[in-house]
Amino acid sequence: MNHEFPCGTRVLDFVATLRARREEQPYEFLADAGSLDSWWVESGVRTSGRVTDDADLVAAIELREALYTVFWHRLNGASIPEGALAVVNARAQDPPVSPALTARGVVRDGDPTACLADLAREAIEIVGGEEGALLRECSRPECTTIYLDRSRGHRREWCSMQSCGNRAKAAAYRARVRSARILAT
């Protein structure tokens, strides 16, 4: 696998293809059209369809940034900018990916435009529905990943325990050990 899926929701995992947004050099997972193609398949958005080209990549990044803006503003209780809403709503109007049941299982066929339409629709359902209240941003300062906190008690702190959660816990442990050494001397 070339991509990570820490959020448990396809559209938020798509938004998380740009990590550490507030850092001087954020990490871009969609460096080229081929990486976007692999994201479509690995995420399960589609299993087949037209190969992604550079124009599709530009459209995907435009939608991703509009989605981030929409989610961030909803998360922070701020008014969502009209420009971001227009991009998301326009993409949601495109035809979706077509699922089909075959002898091998479900096949999801769609071009990149259909994939983006599915993601835009998913975002609209989250932000416009009850799940919008579950949006959280990872507590690790370097991480800017937004996720849905579906945990019991709604106390989830990190986008992923495997990445940010482990790093935060390891750093806290090292700090406690260092502190204990200083006190012991």
Side-chain angles (χ1 to χ4, degrees), residues 171 173-183:
Y173 173 76
R174 287 190 300 273
R176 284 192 308 274
V177 168
R178 243 187 333 267
S179 179
R181 284 185 191 147
I182 291 170
L183 291 174

Side-chain angles (χ1 to χ4, degrees), residues 1-144:
M1 266 180 119
N2 297 319
H3 299 281
E4 298 174 4
F5 301 92
C7 304
T9 305
R10 273 196 300 231
V11 67
L12 290 170
D13 285 327
F14 179 67
V15 171
T17 58
L18 182 65
R19 297 276 173 81
R21 289 171 177 272
R22 290 185 286 270
E23 297 295 313
E24 194 171 305
Q25 292 189 352
Y27 185 79
E28 177 65 76
F29 280 90
L30 303 180
D32 55 36
S35 60
L36 180 56
D37 254 342
S38 69
W39 194 90
W40 298 137
V41 174
E42 290 176 26
S43 68
V45 171
R46 75 172 185 191
T47 54
S48 63
R50 178 178 61 77
V51 173
T52 302
D53 62 26
D54 289 340
D56 298 323
L57 179 62
V58 169
I61 290 174
E62 177 190 35
L63 178 62
R64 179 189 68 193
E65 295 311 302
L67 291 169
Y68 178 77
T69 298
V70 168
F71 284 125
W72 188 91
H73 281 78
R74 173 65 168 92
L75 166 70
N76 289 289
S79 179
I80 301 170
E82 289 297 321
L85 289 173
V87 170
V88 172
N89 288 329
R91 279 289 166 198
Q93 300 307 308
D94 291 327
V97 171
S98 299
L101 187 58
T102 69
R104 296 182 323 259
V106 176
V107 174
R108 297 180 52 81
D109 185 46
D111 64 13
T113 300
C115 295
L116 295 175
D118 281 4
L119 294 172
R121 286 184 179 99
E122 188 176 347
I124 289 168
E125 293 299 321
I126 291 170
V127 173
E130 292 178 10
E131 284 190 313
L134 303 178
L135 290 167
R136 306 283 186 273
E137 185 176 64
C138 185
S139 294
R140 193 168 145 251
E142 301 82 21
C143 187
T144 56

